[in-house]
Amino acid sequence: MYRLLCLLACSSIFGSTHTVISKYLPKYGIEYSYVSSEKPEEWEAAIRPNTKMIFVETPTNPGLDIIDLEFVGNLAKKHNVLLNVDNCFATPIGQLPIKFGADLVVHSATKWMDGQGRVLGGVVVGRKDLIKDIYLFSRSTGPALSPFNAWVLSRSLETLDVRMERHTSNAFQIAQKLEGHEKITWLKYPFLPSHPQYQIAKKQMKNGGGIVCFELKGGLEAGRAFLNNLNMLSLTANLGDTRSIASHPASTTHAKLTEAERLAVNITPGLIRISVGLEHVDDILNDILQALDKI
């Protein structure tokens, strides 16, 4: 059997992707191993003779941990395995994993690529020989976009650059204003110097992205009160929309996990993920602050 090596921390792999990996890959004769992003010294030891691919997401969802793409790219090259990078949070505007040795890069086009919550889709880019195989598989088995959805996404790409400029600018300002707030235990944004992997983020990313995450003091009840008190921000499990969106990963995107599994990857009951939209930054900030004040 072939083996897939997944590098993760607070990754979406422990959400819906985890279900796909654990349920469906074995049917194709594919094994998998998980290793922690916080222990890179263990990654090489996890590569076995039948390992064919390393799959990594950076920044991770929802915890915004950063994986050193240069390190992983060199590791994949050393062992002659494919490197597949989920680049959904950063987008091609913020990060180019292929420059660091990625063979494949994947995106949920439902998010920033579309940017307006209109269609469902995915994007895979990479080496021509690999894309040919993926294309033939998709065409034969069905996971392909309809012409209309493809047209919508092609139009969305025309504004991706200018949209991400506003998303990331707003997110950075929000992160700066909220850091150290008395109701927040910790806050993470890749381009804040306080981020544990700040230097890595600055090395491989052009901007910090449009997501801010933080943990509220008071856990689940504080999280519930915060979300209920928001007036402008939308409450969904999606991200990457023109609208600012607040979500509670423990009860939505990662609800299928046990409490122990969530805590193991730092998805705490008080964790909040904000997908920062295109509204005026003052309006976004004021809504968050007034909701925090009512906890």
Side-chain angles (χ1 to χ4, degrees), residues 47-67:
I47 297 178
R48 303 182 185 180
N50 63 338
T51 300
K52 300 297 181 181
M53 178 185 288
I54 298 174
F55 180 78
V56 57
E57 176 188 48
T58 184
T60 63
N61 175 26
L64 295 181
D65 290 303
I66 306 297
I67 308 297

Side-chain angles (χ1 to χ4, degrees), residues 130-179:
L130 298 174
I131 295 299
K132 180 180 179 181
D133 289 340
I134 294 170
Y135 166 77
L136 292 174
F137 177 84
S138 299
R139 182 165 182 170
S140 300
T141 59
L145 286 172
S146 70
F148 178 74
N149 281 5
W151 176 79
V152 170
L153 286 172
S154 70
R155 298 288 292 175
S156 299
L157 291 177
E158 295 177 2
T159 61
L160 180 61
D161 193 353
V162 292
R163 284 189 287 108
M164 292 311 300
E165 182 178 351
R166 178 64 173 263
H167 283 300
T168 56
S169 173
N170 280 355
F172 187 36
Q173 293 179 70
I174 294 294
Q176 288 177 311
K177 296 292 185 180
L178 292 181
E179 188 173 33

